[in-house]
Amino acid sequence: MVGRLPRDPAPWGERRDRALGNSVLRGNIRSVTRRLADARRRAYASYPASQVLRVAGRDAKRRAVARVEPLLDELRDRLAANGARVIFAEGPKEVADYVVSLAARRGAKRVVKSKSMLTEELDLNRRLAVAGLAVRETDLGEYIIQLLDEHPSHILAPAAHRNRQEIHALFQETAEREGVPGPTSDDVGPLTAFARQRLREDFLAADIGITGANFLVAETGTIVLVTNEGNADMVASLPPVHVVIAGIDKVLDTWADLAAVIQQPALSGVGQRLSAYTTLISGPRAAGSPEGPEELHVLLVDNGRRQLVDGPYADVLTCIRCGACYNVCPVYRQVGGHAYGSTYAGPIGAVETPLLAGLDFLPELPKSLCTLCNACVEACPMDIALADHFITLRRRQVGEGREAAGTRLTYRAWGRLWSSPRQYQRFVSWARRGQRFMMRQGRLVRSPGLWAGWFETRDMPPIAPETFHEWWARRAPSGKTPS
Amino acid sequence: MIGPGLSPLLQAFRARWEALGGHYWESVSGPGLTETLAAAADSLIDRVPGQTSSALWWPGPAWASLAWEAALPPDRWTVTPVTGREPLVLSGRPMDPSALRSAAASAALGVTGAAWAVADTGSVALTSAPGQGLWPSLLPPSHLIVLQEAQVVATVADGLRRMRDEGPPPAMAKIISGPSSTADIEGQLWIGVHGPGRVGVVVVAGAGAD
């Protein structure tokens, strides 16, 4: 079953140029990615257990993906025994329909949410708003972009593309609209205090709380939530109904497997040994307790995941959404998340999006948003073979005739020309003769014909007066060329 | 303060807890403990001159008999205790859930026990159980935890194993590692966004009341 993901209607070229022309976005993305990548490196270097833990966590995730169906059955039975209702949902419509009818049954109007990439993927907020529900995002960054009617630009820092002044103006405007005092300045403290105050009221008034899940433990029927702000704890323990919406890829086999992987989101994501709040939920409110929801609903969502379980891309399902690959990716660091055009960005997004939604969905992602530099592979705590997947996806795109005919013929002709040493050398000597018309300050800056586009944003060193091949031929008396 | 004889595990816990921004005290049980708790409570809140501050004290079974409130100056503090199991008792009356929620939401300080703590990560775990709730650790701007030295384990895995050995996991448990924080605005770290901005532990040395 192919998944359905939201997409930016703008074509790739427009999304790219919009991102490259936005200096606030580029400056902020540059600093947030550098900060997070450095924090991760420092945390790993200063933590003797880091590598052993990482490998144990990776193996736990791989084992779970390999046995996902029996584990999901076990999880469902265990959660049901703990008093939760468990629903298998195919995609966006089924999930939204379930929440809307639950809200109707409960007479619920107000929904609070903690950060969830899956509900972004399902475009859930829009669907719930259409049904008349008031949905409030409560992660600070998500709150900001919800007020702006935007999407996250970074998986861990959704509002990374906005600066303090913009956020201050936004909060001022919100305060005026809602008739409350605005933030006292554009410093982070007053801005955060304003959000805390506004959102606290929403937490206490909400009828339904929606969270995602970082992990689901089949053995015990436990939902694990990881945050630094504490908002997921509010969402899960204040409203009378808690709805968990999680991908089927979140399941783990045992409690011991949870112990192996529980530190990874924080360690690889932000360079902490554990997040400020790691919350384990195993059922609705216990008898006699005033806390926690009366009803706990757990939706286990496919949306294109099941089709990957038995194939060569199964390791993509072990992703824990830590964002480590985003932070080291030279493409992501230039363009940020919006240019990718759907929910997931960075290397994992460029690979996973077409895998979930079909190879015709945003085909530019594997093709144009990767330099094959391998930085993501080194950063990924789950050892997902991202670079290999980029190559296979490109090969499939070409093999299935998804390339334009002109491009295909050009590459074929070029390949033929350069695959014979003699023809390559002849090409080089022509180019050397012609290049003096294409130079500026000792660099090649222009080219005729097919290569012109390459020089629009780059230059390169000129072809040397004597190439290594020529030098070798001149000094080796036999005249043999090196092989 | 206890000084010598501190276990290496506790020393490691303290170092990491403080590195995360947590406050730390030690005491032996007895009169010293109530005084330490009162001093810790005082230092974790911002006092408004001329006003009393409210604390929600939901100790759980292990510390139910610890009458530390007496050590707080009554002109500066009002303490709302939650005791009992089923039913819970809030300030001497059978608990009404919405009254408890309001008390938690308006308290300046929540005071709770703990389930276990982790030296490796500087974390403290709390569990919901009959007679033990989590709101005091979440809703007030400050949170104070009473922890027994014997509850400190080496790793997160050790703590989770300990929890699992006690039976099926509770409806809710949480592992707290420092104050509530965010870096969502320009990547600047800010403390105290939704949960408490100040967290403290008072470690009770030696054998516990467990």
Side-chain angles (χ1 to χ4, degrees):
Chain A
M1 182 66 206
V2 172
R4 272 170 299 168
L5 272 72
R7 65 155 297 175
D8 186 332
W12 156 237
E14 195 183 319
R15 302 198 312 269
R16 175 198 61 205
D17 292 347
R18 214 160 50 195
L20 292 177
N22 184 340
S23 58
V24 172
L25 173 130
R26 294 183 68 189
N28 289 357
I29 290 286
R30 198 156 44 231
S31 74
V32 79
T33 52
R34 183 173 304 149
R35 182 172 56 81
L36 291 171
D38 288 349
R40 181 182 60 86
R41 263 192 294 275
R42 275 198 305 272
Y44 267 84
S46 65
Y47 190 24
S50 56
Q51 284 301 334
V52 174
L53 267 179
R54 184 186 69 77
V55 170
R58 177 200 69 189
D59 292 348
K61 284 289 292 182
R62 286 184 177 175
R63 277 196 303 275
V65 168
R67 292 187 52 232
V68 69
E69 296 302 338
L71 291 182
L72 288 170
D73 289 341
E74 186 185 348
L75 175 72
R76 178 198 56 208
D77 295 347
R78 183 50 55 196
L79 273 167
N82 295 355
R85 289 177 220 188
V86 183
I87 300 93
F88 286 96
E90 209 158 74
K93 188 173 180 309
E94 292 76 16
V95 172
D97 287 351
Y98 185 86
V99 177
V100 169
S101 69
L102 171 65
R105 177 170 65 73
R106 298 271 324 185
K109 292 267 175 275
R110 297 195 230 194
V111 177
V112 283
K113 281 183 69 204
S114 73
K115 192 166 171 308
S116 146
M117 291 308 287
L118 176 59
T119 59
E120 286 280 341
E121 175 189 324
L122 301 172
D123 202 11
L124 183 69
N125 290 6
R126 192 186 55 77
R127 289 166 184 269
L128 297 185
V130 167
L133 292 169
V135 181
R136 176 53 74 215
E137 291 286 351
T138 64
D139 171 89
L140 177 58
E142 290 280 346
Y143 175 58
I144 293 166
I145 60 166
Q146 187 188 30
L147 292 175
L148 288 163
D149 195 19
E150 291 181 341
H151 293 287
S153 56
H154 187 284
I155 195 161
L156 299 185
H161 57 292
R162 292 291 180 175
N163 61 25
R164 276 187 300 131
Q165 290 72 29
E166 293 171 315
I167 294 165
H168 180 245
L170 175 75
F171 283 3
Q172 278 298 353
E173 201 181 292
T174 307
E176 277 162 35
R177 195 173 58 238
E178 298 178 1
V180 296
T184 50
S185 83
D186 65 5
D187 289 333
V188 176
L191 294 176
T192 308
F194 174 79
R196 177 184 164 106
Q197 177 60 35
R198 299 308 298 145
L199 292 169
R200 182 58 73 94
E201 290 166 24
D202 291 323
F203 286 128
L204 292 170
D207 306 309
I208 295 180
I210 296 180
T211 67
N214 290 84
F215 306 106
L216 301 163
V217 186
E219 180 192 340
T220 54
T222 302
I223 298 135
V224 183
L225 297 169
V226 168
T227 75
N228 272 334
E229 297 186 1
N231 57 318
D233 292 53
M234 301 271 187
V235 173
S237 73
L238 289 169
V241 178
H242 177 197
V243 182
V244 178
I245 302 176
I248 57 166
D249 50 311
K250 297 300 178 198
V251 72
L252 291 171
D253 186 353
T254 64
W255 191 253
D257 285 342
L258 173 66
V261 77
I262 197 167
Q263 290 174 257
Q264 274 309 318
L267 194 61
S268 294
V270 291
Q272 295 167 212
R273 292 190 185 180
L274 197 61
S275 55
Y277 295 91
T278 305
T279 306
L280 293 76
I281 297 161
S282 302
R285 155 189 321 184
S289 168
E291 297 181 342
E294 295 156 18
E295 293 181 26
L296 175 63
H297 301 253
V298 182
L299 278 73
L300 301 170
V301 185
D302 176 357
N303 207 34
R305 288 164 174 73
R306 272 201 173 82
Q307 52 166 348
L308 303 178
V309 170
D310 292 323
Y313 305 104
D315 64 352
V316 165
L317 298 175
T318 64
C319 175
I320 56 166
R321 309 287 183 227
C322 68
C325 63
Y326 286 43
N327 298 325
V328 298
C329 174
V331 177
Y332 179 83
R333 288 164 88 146
Q334 290 300 323
V335 297
H338 295 156
Y340 289 74
S342 189
T343 305
Y344 304 102
I348 187 70
V351 164
E352 187 172 355
T353 305
L355 287 175
L356 290 176
L359 292 195
D360 288 326
F361 186 80
L362 298 172
E364 65 271 20
L365 289 181
K367 188 170 75 178
S368 303
L369 284 95
C370 173
T371 66
L372 292 178
C373 75
N374 218 46
C376 54
V377 177
E378 287 174 13
C380 177
M382 299 291 116
D383 288 334
I384 299 170
L386 289 159
D388 291 347
H389 296 333
F390 273 109
I391 293 170
T392 4
L393 285 170
R394 286 174 182 183
R395 198 168 280 152
R396 275 176 65 185
Q397 286 179 329
V398 173
E400 292 171 21
R402 288 166 201 268
E403 288 294 312
T407 312
R408 212 165 50 235
L409 291 173
T410 305
Y411 276 89
R412 193 178 297 163
W414 185 4
R416 243 181 235 149
L417 186 65
W418 278 22
S419 56
S420 125
R422 229 190 56 201
Q423 295 207 52
Y424 175 78
Q425 280 158 27
R426 189 175 296 160
F427 172 88
V428 166
S429 79
W430 289 338
R432 185 165 43 211
R433 257 174 271 153
Q435 73 180 356
R436 60 202 169 97
F437 303 108
M438 310 290 166
M439 308 251 293
R440 194 168 61 220
Q441 293 177 340
R443 306 279 293 175
L444 257 182
V445 294
R446 270 191 304 280
S447 155
L450 294 171
W451 291 272
W454 201 87
F455 289 96
E456 277 174 20
T457 52
R458 312 165 187 84
D459 59 16
M460 64 182 276
I463 295 161
E466 184 177 45
T467 65
F468 176 73
H469 286 102
E470 291 160 344
W471 172 82
W472 185 269
R474 182 164 60 77
R475 79 182 273 291
S478 66
K480 264 200 263 169
T481 50
S483 53
Chain B
M1 285 293 154
I2 310 158
L6 218 60
S7 75
L9 213 53
L10 188 55
Q11 287 176 31
F13 167 76
R14 177 183 184 166
R16 289 221 65 85
W17 174 255
E18 290 185 327
L20 294 171
H23 300 265
Y24 183 91
W25 294 269
E26 286 166 12
S27 178
V28 286
S29 50
L33 175 57
T34 56
E35 274 160 37
T36 307
L37 275 170
D42 253 338
S43 74
L44 280 178
I45 61 154
D46 287 322
R47 172 162 306 291
V48 184
Q51 283 185 24
T52 58
S53 304
S54 60
L56 185 68
W57 162 235
W58 195 344
W63 300 109
S65 59
L66 183 68
W68 67 287
E69 305 97 294
L72 287 170
D75 56 323
R76 291 198 278 136
W77 282 94
T78 49
V79 177
T80 308
V82 188
T83 52
R85 288 178 65 136
E86 289 179 50
L88 285 169
V89 179
L90 175 67
S91 296
R93 278 195 293 271
M95 183 272 305
D96 158 35
S98 64
L100 175 57
R101 204 165 90 151
S102 311
S106 61
L109 176 71
V111 190
T112 66
W116 38 273
V118 181
D120 190 38
T121 55
S123 312
V124 181
L126 275 64
T127 52
S128 67
Q132 173 65 71
L134 297 173
W135 280 343
S137 68
L138 183 65
L139 293 168
S142 300
H143 176 211
L144 179 60
I145 301 160
V146 195
L147 179 70
Q148 293 157 25
E149 185 180 352
Q151 290 178 312
V152 182
V153 298
T155 64
V156 179
D158 291 339
L160 288 173
R161 203 173 299 125
R162 185 174 169 142
M163 197 171 144
R164 189 75 185 99
D165 289 345
E166 287 166 8
M172 194 186 236
K174 61 183 188 181
I175 311 169
I176 298 170
S177 311
S180 159
S181 68
T182 184
D184 274 355
I185 298 177
E186 292 193 354
Q188 290 187 45
L189 184 68
W190 194 261
I191 299 301
V193 51
H194 291 301
R198 290 180 201 167
V199 290
V201 290
V202 172
V203 175
V204 184
D210 233 355

